[in-house]
Amino acid sequence: ESNSTVTTVDMEFNEIASVGIEFLSTRRLDRFEFDWDNLVWPPPSVAKFGPAAVYAFLEAVKEKSTPLARSRAMFVGAGGSGKTTLKTALLLRGGNAHAILRHLRQEMRERIEFKWDEQSLREWVDTDLAREPGFFDQCRLGKGLTGKRWLTYTLHDVIDVFGRSATETARGVVSKMTAVLCFLNPDAFRKTITASPASWTWLLDTIVESLDRVDGLFGSEPPPAEIDYGVLLNLPHVWTE
């Protein structure tokens, strides 16, 4: 830029794809040859209009700009393998975490209420919660259960339908399912605490601690970096379909 003796520059056929604000010094040249169509920065949508547009863009960048780093990622995997859970967990580390949780809760409630039938619940319970084919059908009170009715369940209802056998599998199903219901319906969870059977109170400390970290159910909202996304691991993967 300080060299005033150079008046002509030919930079054609150099395959230069990106230029910075230093490029503005080329405006003073009497003759300047350059392959504007090769540019990827400034963007092709700017460069296609020629030198005047490129210089105007660089002037705006010089006036005010902020460095931005952005990368794209693609998650590939079988259904139910955790792609959306991973994506949500990453988003929960951002400043918009609580809004994302509220949106997730509302979206899931609507899908479960209006689209879930007995088969949907069977697939979720057997595949994701019990990890035992046929467990749902062993719970005879679950016959005919719909998503709309399931959303109204309290801890007592969950135990009555899925915990009667008192096996390790049944206890796991009750624990995971109750955590999901608490996430979807915090008001019902408050009632669950006061009406829980004494033999199942071992569940409450774990659930309360987890959900308190998720969205401040029993206090102020935690900072995004402290949100516990562990409860997402038990959410039905069919909500993403």
Side-chain angles (χ1 to χ4, degrees), residues 146-164:
T146 64
K148 184 175 183 178
R149 188 168 132 223
W150 177 80
L151 283 172
T152 67
Y153 269 21
T154 63
L155 176 57
H156 177 81
D157 296 323
V158 174
I159 294 171
D160 197 38
V161 175
F162 298 101
R164 287 198 166 200

Side-chain angles (χ1 to χ4, degrees), residues 138-151:
Q138 296 173 20
C139 306
R140 297 183 179 180
L141 294 180
K143 185 175 178 59
L145 184 61
T146 64
K148 184 175 183 178
R149 188 168 132 223
W150 177 80
L151 283 172

Side-chain angles (χ1 to χ4, degrees), residues 169-188:
T169 298
R171 290 165 70 92
V173 169
V174 170
S175 176
K176 296 172 184 177
M177 184 178 290
T178 302
V180 173
L181 279 168
C182 293
F183 173 77
L184 295 174
N185 195 347
D187 290 337

Side-chain angles (χ1 to χ4, degrees), residues 16-75:
I16 296 174
S18 178
V19 296
I21 59 175
E22 299 81 6
F23 192 75
L24 289 169
S25 62
T26 62
R27 286 183 300 182
R28 67 169 181 80
L29 296 172
D30 295 336
R31 180 173 173 270
F32 179 57
E33 301 294 337
F34 187 79
D35 289 330
W36 305 95
D37 294 338
N38 288 337
L39 287 176
V40 295
W41 182 259
S45 58
V46 173
K48 70 180 181 180
F49 293 106
V54 171
Y55 289 134
F57 181 90
L58 293 175
E59 280 286 4
V61 171
K62 183 179 179 180
E63 183 71 23
K64 184 177 181 180
S65 63
T66 302
L68 173 64
R70 177 178 294 171
S71 300
R72 293 185 178 184
M74 177 182 291
F75 300 108

Side-chain angles (χ1 to χ4, degrees), residues 12 14 74 84-86 92 99 133 138 141 157 177 194 224 230 239:
E12 284 190 308
N14 281 324
M74 177 182 291
T84 302
T85 298
L86 174 59
L92 292 182
Q138 296 173 20
L141 294 180
D157 296 323
M177 184 178 290
T194 59
W239 73 268

